[in-house]
Amino acid sequence: MKDTVSRQRARVATADRAALAPYTVWAVLFILVPLVFVAYYAFTDNAFHFTLDNVKRFFTATSTVIGSDGSAQEVRTYLLIFWRSLKLAVISTVICLAFGYPIAYIMARAAPRVQRTFMTIIMIPMWMNFLIRTYAWMTILQDKGIFNNFLTTLHLPAVHIIGTEAAVVIGMVYDYFPYMILPLYSILAKLDPKLLEAARDLGCSGWGVLKRVVWPLSLPGVISGVTMVLIPSISTFYISQKLGDGKFFLIGDAIEGQYVANNLHFAAAIAFVLMIVLLLCMGLMRKLAGRRVEGGL
Amino acid sequence: MRPIAKVYTALIFLFLFAPIAILLVFSFNSGNSLSVFSGFSLHWYQELLHDTNTLGALKNTLILALSASILSTILGTAAAVGINKLRSRTMRSAMNTVTNIPMVNPDIITGISLMLLFVFAGRLMGLGTSLNFWTMLIAHITFCLPYVILQVLPKLRQMDKSLPEAAMDLGCTPMRAFLKVELPEIMPGVLTGLIMAFTLSLDDFVISYFTAGNGFETLPIRIYSMTKKTVTPKMYALATLIFFAILALLIISNLMDEETAQERRLAKAKRKKERKPLSPQAKRTLALSVLGGAAVLALAVSFAGRAQQLELNVYNWGEYISDGSEGSLDTIKAFEKWYEEEYGQKIRVNYSTYASNEDMYAKLKSGSVSYDVIVPSDYMIARLIAEDMLLPLDYDNIPNYKYIGEQFRGLYYDPNDEYTVPYTYGVVGIIYNANQVDEADIGDWDLMWNPKYAGRILQFNNSRDAFGTAMYKLGIDVNTGDKAQWDQALAELQAQRPMIKAYVMDEIFNAMESGEADIGAYYAGDYFTMADAQADSVDLQFYYPPATNYFFDSMCIPSCAQHKELAEIFIDYMLSEEAAIANAEYIYYACPNALVYESEDYIDEMGEEAMEILYPPMDDFKERYNSYAYQNLSDDILSYMNELWESLKIN
């Protein structure tokens, strides 16, 4: 009997290892090795000799910015670009969170059938190609576009949106909104209603329940959602081209521009720095959230 | 739901569907604008059904998304099972960290890093073409995997661990226990993972852009390549069709879910404790996986089969060949048919598109693709020749070359006519809205710097053309090697910047047609496309400044070509009367082929105004061309220009 059990254990262990083996190989080959390549390109020149120039250039390259009053000012080119990308991405992420959380909460509290319908409705736009969706926003936001026509019909003054930071942010929020809602929803849906009842029974106000019970428990979903919105919006190059009137040069544009200009090594250096910064940020965020969320962000 | 929640939800849905509504409406536009609606028509749907290239790209996109999502679901589910059973904490957290990397890494980095890997591996194995369908598939599986794993893992953790153990105690093999007990339990997670993977793969552009290779063009890449010409409502029609197809699918699936739910309730009512081995939902998924697996297999077989068939890889600008719309000739199809009749052998043309010379160059330079015919512009040809990246043509195989006008031969980029066959040419001019712009102000480049029209002016969103406008204005040689002169041009562009409404490529079509902007420089032929679609309040006109850019796009054979003779036959066919006229009428740029510009049918079709603008006087053409055209800049100047361009853009 003991023999059967141990043999069975051994078989299970072999099976588990067999299940994990293909993924391990895959992860090493296609997740880890490519990162080594980015680092390798970032620290070599065109002849593949070691150099720090590319990374140094990221931090030290300067250019002159001319202010609206005509005054010239020396700035660090890539640090400025990076800072701007980060700013827009953070704004978009905060907006996504602020507007996505209530929707996710409403969804999670709805009847199961309604939940499914909601889910479908939120996913559908993602099935239209994102280039085309962004294009459609151009038609809506331009000065003589649908939105301004609507305002004019209401006898309101027209607003200039396209080509401003607001337009870029709208594009980012729109494209990545579902990425915020889905993880929030899946966490909130699992929340035990009894917990909320208990909190209320113990004298918590509605707001208190939200702040003391729901929010802390949903933190893993928040982290996951924030990551899934922040990361793509920081590196997008299409949204800024189309909705920013080509006036917003973000870090994604810089990488793509260097790739197209055939400066692969410098493109890799920008990518490398971006990657390190993001990994650090994410690590820090998870630490701050104070909760180890195993298996995911 | 409380009323306030209802209102809020409605507003969010309005936001989510506003652009969808736009593309739905404009897909029925009778005109070709995406911002001026000129009437209801089903025209674009008809066009779409005849556009084999776009439908082919759609098919490719679906094949890719289906294979990537199914394979990543299988691989990811297995991985999740393995990770869940890992005993060592360190191992588990190491696996989790690795899994998170593709999610925490911007897609542009994932794309570039995988491309570097594929290119390197391809060189190692001595392959001429390392980027193809399979590399794209690997890339897509890689970025889908974490999403699957993260969906499945929590379900595994929620599951009662004793269940599979009990099954095995009762004599199940681990595999059987997994299929019969575990899989049904975690099925919801697996399904969500599958759907997410499919959605992500379908929507991805960036990673595909970097890892795309030979003859496998997906829809996002095709759309991106339309950046020089224009995105037509045809793409909106396609999106609308996809929308309704998905809607139908989802409604059906919801109804089916409803049935299963009812069945479940019934079963519960009967207190049947019997555990179904697989829920109907799971069965459906399995069936889908099998179907998908079959699709992948079929694809692999068809790829293998295609190796026997003659293939030609053509790489051209987006929207740069007659595609059979408006009853025109689909020149690619016509070539395939003609070739089979002529040579008794089937041939397949893999046609892919690029958005700029530089995009095309970056792909070729990586050494990971193989194309047989490319259509670069003059300055890029000079660069390719200098870097030994073009093959000399055997003009004996291109007898129709004799129809290329004498004045279009021996141009600076190919002085001895060894490498190129001109395809189109054109001149950059200024388009303006005559209802807003004073006739007195027109005539030269100053119009684009005229403060009177501040906020109404468009400038090129590509460095070479933008610097070009400033240099022609200042009377500087656009090919100068003197950095001080480039600085001077930059200062001019910086002075212009506060007056610029937008830096544009294909966006110029929308902006000019709708009257968003009043002044912009672009390629002559495109002016007619805009004028055709202009809003009622807009009156677009066109003129050539005294010094301006002349360009040629010519057919060439890159050194990575695998079918040189076939490529020459293709080039020759594109010079034949029928094909050349169809292409010229479609592209609307000037054609250097005498069979075209001397054809009475063609001249009638184009009309007097178009002929006059597209075909400027020929007497001193060569001279003007050679003095105004862009030439290949040295690496030093090129990267200097890029730096200046970045510093203009960050202002």
Side-chain angles (χ1 to χ4, degrees):
Chain A
M1 186 65 196
K2 205 180 160 196
D3 188 41
T4 352
V5 170
S6 67
R7 217 183 320 154
Q8 189 189 316
R9 282 238 173 93
R11 256 165 77 198
V12 173
T14 320
D16 291 342
R17 245 176 274 139
L20 194 53
Y23 176 66
T24 314
V25 174
W26 191 283
V28 169
L29 272 183
F30 301 120
I31 297 177
L32 294 180
V33 172
L35 298 188
V36 176
F37 270 94
V38 174
Y40 178 61
Y41 271 74
F43 289 102
T44 51
D45 58 18
N46 283 331
F48 291 98
H49 295 307
F50 175 81
T51 175
L52 286 174
D53 288 353
N54 296 319
V55 178
K56 224 190 262 165
R57 181 171 160 201
F58 179 90
F59 289 102
T60 55
T62 55
S63 41
T64 320
V65 170
I66 296 175
S68 46
D69 54 350
S71 63
Q73 197 192 348
E74 238 353 51
V75 290
R76 293 275 159 99
T77 315
Y78 299 102
L79 295 183
L80 182 71
I81 297 175
F82 186 72
W83 165 243
R84 284 185 183 162
S85 313
L86 192 67
K87 189 179 83 182
L88 291 181
V90 168
I91 295 175
S92 309
T93 310
V94 169
I95 294 178
C96 278
L97 183 61
F99 286 90
Y101 202 93
I103 270 291
Y105 191 79
I106 293 170
M107 256 172 95
R109 293 277 152 272
R113 196 170 167 202
V114 180
Q115 288 189 19
R116 257 203 315 274
T117 315
F118 266 48
M119 185 86 154
T120 311
I121 291 177
I122 286 166
M123 293 280 275
I124 285 182
M126 289 172 76
W127 293 50
M128 314 282 107
N129 186 277
F130 110 92
L131 307 178
I132 296 219
R133 275 177 289 166
T134 311
Y135 234 91
W137 272 110
M138 276 171 53
T139 312
I140 298 178
L141 295 180
Q142 59 193 16
D143 290 344
K144 294 181 180 167
I146 313 278
F147 184 67
N148 274 325
N149 279 343
F150 176 71
L151 289 181
T152 324
T153 331
L154 296 180
H155 298 289
L156 291 169
V159 282
H160 173 65
I161 308 178
I162 192 123
T164 64
E165 287 189 346
V168 180
V169 168
I170 290 176
M172 288 178 179
V173 168
Y174 181 80
D175 273 327
Y176 307 124
F177 200 47
Y179 294 113
M180 179 62 85
I181 297 178
L182 294 178
L184 282 176
Y185 158 74
S186 65
I187 287 274
L188 289 172
K190 272 188 279 180
L191 252 174
D192 192 344
K194 282 184 205 130
L195 276 175
L196 310 188
E197 274 168 40
R200 233 173 252 134
D201 289 347
L202 292 171
C204 251
S205 63
W207 178 245
V209 175
L210 208 62
K211 198 178 131 194
R212 298 213 183 139
V213 184
V214 179
W215 173 257
L217 284 176
S218 65
L219 269 185
V222 173
I223 295 178
S224 175
V226 164
T227 314
M228 285 170 72
V229 174
L230 188 73
I231 302 294
S233 33
I234 211 169
S235 63
T236 180
F237 60 89
Y238 192 77
I239 297 175
S240 48
Q241 274 173 20
K242 296 288 147 177
L243 297 177
D245 271 352
K247 285 178 175 170
F248 290 89
F249 199 72
L250 302 183
I251 199 85
D253 297 290
I255 298 178
E256 198 246 1
Q258 294 297 336
Y259 162 77
V260 166
N262 209 37
N263 286 334
L264 257 185
H265 294 268
F266 187 50
I270 304 179
F272 181 77
V273 176
L274 178 63
M275 189 167 85
I276 298 292
V277 172
L278 288 177
L279 286 176
L280 286 178
C281 283
M282 290 304 142
L284 197 71
M285 196 171 79
R286 272 196 264 176
K287 268 253 158 65
L288 286 178
R291 152 182 313 265
R292 204 162 151 272
V293 193
E294 211 195 341
L297 293 156
Chain B
M1 235 191 273
R2 285 195 232 158
I4 182 157
K6 276 190 185 153
V7 173
Y8 183 74
T9 313
L11 282 177
I12 294 285
F13 286 176
L14 182 72
F15 173 67
L16 284 174
F17 283 87
I20 310 285
I22 295 296
L23 54 90
L24 218 138
V25 169
F26 277 91
S27 73
F28 294 108
N29 193 359
S30 60
N32 62 3
S33 171
L34 294 180
S35 57
V36 181
F37 193 83
S38 25
F40 177 88
S41 129
L42 286 174
H43 168 76
W44 294 108
Y45 288 87
Q46 282 167 353
E47 295 293 311
L48 178 66
L49 293 180
H50 290 122
D51 186 347
T52 43
N53 280 321
T54 302
L55 294 178
L58 173 66
K59 190 181 93 193
N60 286 347
T61 312
L62 289 175
I63 289 175
L64 184 66
L66 209 60
S67 349
S69 56
I70 288 168
L71 291 174
S72 61
T73 304
I74 294 171
L75 198 59
T77 307
V81 170
I83 293 175
N84 189 44
K85 299 252 174 77
L86 276 176
R87 295 239 172 71
S88 133
R89 223 161 213 288
T90 349
M91 274 301 286
R92 202 157 43 183
S93 87
M95 280 319 269
N96 282 333
T97 310
V98 172
T99 303
N100 277 332
I101 290 178
M103 293 182 72
V104 197
N105 245 343
D107 45 9
I108 195 166
I109 298 184
T110 308
I112 288 192
S113 67
L114 281 167
M115 180 200 73
L116 296 176
L117 169 75
F118 294 144
V119 168
F120 179 81
R123 276 201 200 134
L124 216 60
M125 291 189 281
L127 297 176
T129 59
S130 48
L131 294 183
N132 51 34
F133 165 71
W134 301 105
T135 53
M136 272 177 104
L137 181 62
I138 289 175
H140 277 234
I141 292 176
T142 305
F143 77 76
C144 289
L145 267 172
Y147 295 90
V148 175
I149 294 177
L150 294 184
Q151 292 299 328
V152 178
L153 258 185
K155 301 282 173 212
L156 279 167
R157 230 171 268 135
Q158 281 166 12
M159 189 185 63
D160 188 348
K161 286 227 167 55
S162 52
L163 277 177
E165 276 166 28
M168 278 184 280
D169 284 347
L170 293 172
C172 274
T173 60
M175 189 64 188
R176 218 172 134 77
F178 172 73
L179 285 178
K180 293 256 165 186
V181 181
E182 281 181 88
L183 191 59
E185 282 287 320
I186 58 171
M187 202 33 115
V190 175
L191 271 182
T192 321
L194 179 79
I195 293 173
M196 278 195 92
F198 184 76
T199 312
L200 287 167
S201 166
L202 200 68
D203 201 31
D204 170 72
F205 159 67
V206 176
I207 295 174
S208 308
Y209 170 73
F210 287 105
T211 53
N214 270 41
F216 193 84
E217 190 177 49
T218 60
L219 214 48
I221 297 177
R222 189 171 169 79
I223 295 170
Y224 187 73
S225 305
M226 296 177 173
T227 308
K228 186 183 169 191
K229 296 293 261 182
T230 176
V231 176
T232 58
K234 190 154 70 180
M235 291 300 129
Y236 281 17
L238 181 63
T240 306
L241 288 182
I242 294 175
F243 176 76
F244 282 113
I246 294 164
L247 207 61
L249 259 174
L250 288 173
I251 290 172
I252 291 171
S253 123
N254 258 10
L255 288 178
M256 279 167 81
D257 275 354
E258 216 38 39
E259 271 167 37
T260 11
Q262 246 166 20
E263 271 169 41
R264 238 183 271 138
R265 270 199 295 276
L266 277 176
K268 235 184 193 170
K270 282 184 189 162
R271 304 225 167 259
K272 256 192 183 172
K273 286 221 164 160
E274 207 181 342
R275 187 176 268 285
K276 274 190 201 159
L278 275 178
S279 69
Q281 209 178 20
K283 269 187 195 149
R284 225 183 309 142
T285 322
L286 264 191
L288 220 109
S289 318
V290 171
L291 243 154
V296 175
L297 206 75
L299 193 80
V301 169
S302 81
F303 261 80
R306 267 164 58 178
Q308 322 266 318
Q309 197 186 9
L310 276 178
E311 274 189 61
L312 190 72
N313 294 305
V314 178
Y315 201 26
N316 196 356
W317 294 86
E319 293 289 290
Y320 221 46
I321 198 159
S322 179
D323 62 358
S325 57
E326 322 252 351
S328 65
L329 182 73
D330 182 338
T331 42
I332 296 278
K333 280 271 156 306
F335 169 73
E336 288 174 341
K337 206 170 134 213
W338 170 84
Y339 188 89
E340 199 183 340
E341 277 163 15
E342 194 77 13
Y343 294 87
Q345 209 175 351
K346 263 198 180 320
I347 188 169
R348 187 196 151 92
V349 176
N350 295 321
Y351 187 79
S352 359
T353 53
Y354 52 84
S356 71
N357 279 307
E358 287 70 22
D359 274 353
M360 186 267 307
Y361 175 81
K363 279 275 176 219
L364 279 190
K365 191 73 182 173
S366 75
S368 53
V369 290
S370 159
Y371 289 103
D372 299 308
V373 178
I374 53 174
V375 191
S377 307
D378 35 31
Y379 70 95
M380 189 50 75
I381 294 172
R383 186 179 178 95
L384 292 171
I385 292 175
E387 295 181 16
D388 230 0
M389 288 167 71
L390 292 184
L391 296 178
L393 302 178
D394 180 355
Y395 287 90
D396 291 342
N397 292 333
I398 314 174
N400 286 334
Y401 183 71
K402 63 176 179 279
Y403 299 116
I404 297 293
E406 205 50 53
Q407 64 275 37
F408 307 119
R409 300 188 187 192
L411 298 171
Y412 88 85
Y413 58 87
D414 188 13
N416 305 320
D417 294 319
E418 292 167 284
Y419 296 97
T420 59
V421 173
Y423 184 63
T424 54
Y425 70 98
V427 191
V428 171
I430 294 180
I431 303 157
Y432 65 97
N433 180 359
N435 289 343
Q436 300 290 332
V437 174
D438 230 333
E439 288 292 317
D441 296 328
I442 69 164
D444 50 25
W445 289 106
D446 290 344
L447 183 61
M448 285 182 67
W449 270 261
N450 191 332
K452 222 162 109 186
Y453 305 108
R456 325 279 313 148
I457 304 166
L458 304 175
Q459 175 61 283
F460 282 105
N461 194 13
N462 95 44
S463 47
R464 194 80 203 256
D465 281 320
F467 274 101
T469 61
M471 291 169 130
Y472 291 125
K473 174 173 187 278
L474 294 170
I476 298 174
D477 174 13
V478 287
N479 304 305
T480 178
D482 179 359
K483 286 187 181 171
Q485 291 192 312
W486 284 94
D487 290 340
Q488 220 182 320
L490 176 71
E492 199 68 16
L493 288 176
Q494 265 166 345
Q496 184 196 31
R497 193 184 148 109
M499 296 186 272
I500 292 294
K501 168 165 176 49
Y503 292 90
V504 292
M505 290 307 289
D506 61 329
E507 300 92 332
I508 193 176
F509 289 89
N510 268 331
M512 295 301 296
E513 287 159 7
S514 62
E516 268 303 279
D518 293 329
I519 297 162
Y522 221 62
Y523 314 100
D526 296 317
Y527 154 66
F528 294 98
T529 313
M530 294 176 213
D532 269 354
Q534 67 194 13
D536 294 339
S537 59
V538 175
D539 175 21
L540 295 181
Q541 297 294 331
F542 182 90
Y543 69 87
Y544 288 121
T548 186
N549 181 240
Y550 287 63
F551 68 88
F552 264 88
D553 290 335
S554 299
M555 296 183 275
C556 308
I557 302 183
S559 52
C560 57
Q562 287 171 340
H563 312 97
K564 180 162 182 281
E565 222 182 295
L566 219 53
E568 282 159 350
I569 294 174
F570 176 84
I571 292 174
D572 190 55
Y573 181 81
M574 287 301 146
L575 291 176
S576 70
E577 186 170 2
E578 203 186 15
I581 290 182
N583 286 339
E585 286 176 357
Y586 183 85
I587 304 169
Y588 236 87
Y589 287 178
C591 179
N593 187 334
L595 291 178
V596 176
Y597 65 78
E598 283 172 3
S599 152
E600 268 170 41
D601 287 346
Y602 171 77
I603 295 172
D604 278 353
E605 171 73 28
M606 300 296 280
E608 208 173 306
E609 192 202 1
M611 286 307 288
E612 208 170 288
I613 287 184
L614 288 183
Y615 295 89
M618 278 301 127
D619 33 343
D620 58 348
F621 181 83
K622 206 166 182 169
E623 229 169 280
R624 290 178 69 81
Y625 174 78
N626 282 337
S627 54
Y628 289 132
Y630 296 143
Q631 293 179 19
N632 182 26
L633 300 172
S634 69
D635 279 341
D636 184 35
I637 292 295
L638 209 55
S639 62
Y640 190 68
M641 178 183 77
N642 277 323
E643 268 171 50
L644 295 185
W645 178 244
E646 278 182 349
S647 77
L648 173 74
K649 290 299 286 286
I650 66 165
N651 257 288

